[in-house]
Amino acid sequence: MPELIPDPPRPTDAELEILTVLWSRGPSTVREVHEAIGFRKPTQYTTVLKLLQIMAEKGLVRRDEKQRAHIYEASQPCEWTQRQLAGDLLQRAFSGSAKSLMLGALSARRVSKEELAELRKFLDEYEKGTR
Amino acid sequence: MPELIPDPPRPTDAELEILTVLWSRGPSTVREVHEAIGFRKPTQYTTVLKLLQIMAEKGLVRRDEKQRAHIYEASQPCEWTQRQLAGDLLQRAFSGSAKSLMLGALSARRVSKEELAELRKFLDEYEKGTR
DNA sequence: AAGTTACTACGAACCTCTTCGTTTGTCAAC
DNA sequence: GTTGACAAACGAAGAGGTTCGTAGTAACTT
């Protein structure tokens, strides 16, 4: 019978930064993650290691211990986590109003005409999908 | 000369919940906030008080001490904070892609046809505004 | 074999967040 | 004036998050 594994919790800020690396790089060693993080802010190797260990306990990442240098991998796809985070914020800060969220996002930073067009296209496709 | 006050920090989960009450009720006493919160989850009066005191230190709320029962008020308008939160998440979890954020939000919960129409209308107006 | 390097594991320190019990102060009514 | 109600202030405890130093261990080099 299938193991019943609960959804991993919402990642914290530091955890999300690591997940970002794992999503873009794919399965990686601690060293690889550490190097990627190092570009953005100086961090000790063991800090990244500890974080990854804790994330493994929480179920945010999976760990392959077959090699000496363990390989870590995000347990959930990027889109899944993004959905959690967006839905969570939508609920907590925007009382569920997608329009308000959009307004907030667009006014937070300049958005190109291309991106606006993309958004429209996306709305069309979305509507078609839920018909 | 004008006091140079830094922007308040990103509110935590519990703080955001209180801010929500203040935005909808307007300036309120601790008791009023406590009652409003109590509808959603049982909480001690002093917990709300402490939270508000800390939020005042952080600059998230202003406090009027003229009355015996102090009056608290959100220091920033709802829209401002929403913009911060949306921009922050956009940056941290969506690499700045407004489209991805929208996709996440829409797939997080069902959205009515009316809301979709609203979104389109909003996009049009937004484009007009940034011409 | 001894020394060097690369890795994991562990533990502790420090901070923030959240919660609540207790104390202190103020005001009004009896 | 004493009492009771209601308010702020304070202190502390517990949980979680973040960081890092140190220790232990396996593999590689000479």
Side-chain angles (χ1 to χ4, degrees), chain A residues 10-13 16-17 20 23 78-79 81-111 113 115-116 118-120 122-127 130-131, chain B residues 10-13 16-17 20 23 78-79 81-111 113 115-116 118-120 122-127 130-131:
Chain A
R10 169 156 62 108
T12 66
D13 288 4
L16 183 57
E17 201 168 349
T20 302
W23 284 324
C78 175
E79 294 74 21
T81 303
Q82 287 182 329
R83 177 153 34 104
Q84 300 294 307
L85 290 171
D88 179 67
L89 189 67
L90 187 60
Q91 196 56 37
R92 289 206 339 276
F94 295 86
S95 344
S97 160
K99 181 183 161 196
S100 301
L101 175 55
M102 183 112 152
L103 189 144
L106 293 192
S107 58
R109 69 160 188 57
R110 280 291 142 248
V111 170
K113 292 221 185 307
E115 206 164 359
L116 282 180
E118 260 196 345
L119 277 172
R120 283 217 183 71
F122 169 67
L123 281 183
D124 292 342
E125 282 164 13
Y126 177 82
E127 192 159 20
T130 53
R131 168 75 39 77
Chain B
R10 169 157 61 108
T12 66
D13 288 3
L16 184 57
E17 202 167 351
T20 302
W23 285 323
C78 174
E79 294 76 20
T81 303
Q82 287 182 330
R83 177 154 32 105
Q84 299 294 307
L85 291 171
D88 178 68
L89 190 66
L90 188 60
Q91 197 55 39
R92 290 206 338 277
F94 294 87
S95 345
S97 161
K99 181 184 160 194
S100 300
L101 174 54
M102 214 58 231
L103 190 145
L106 293 191
S107 58
R109 70 158 187 57
R110 278 292 143 247
V111 170
K113 292 219 187 308
E115 205 165 2
L116 280 181
E118 258 196 345
L119 280 172
R120 283 217 185 71
F122 169 68
L123 277 183
D124 293 342
E125 281 163 15
Y126 176 83
E127 193 158 21
T130 54
R131 165 81 38 75

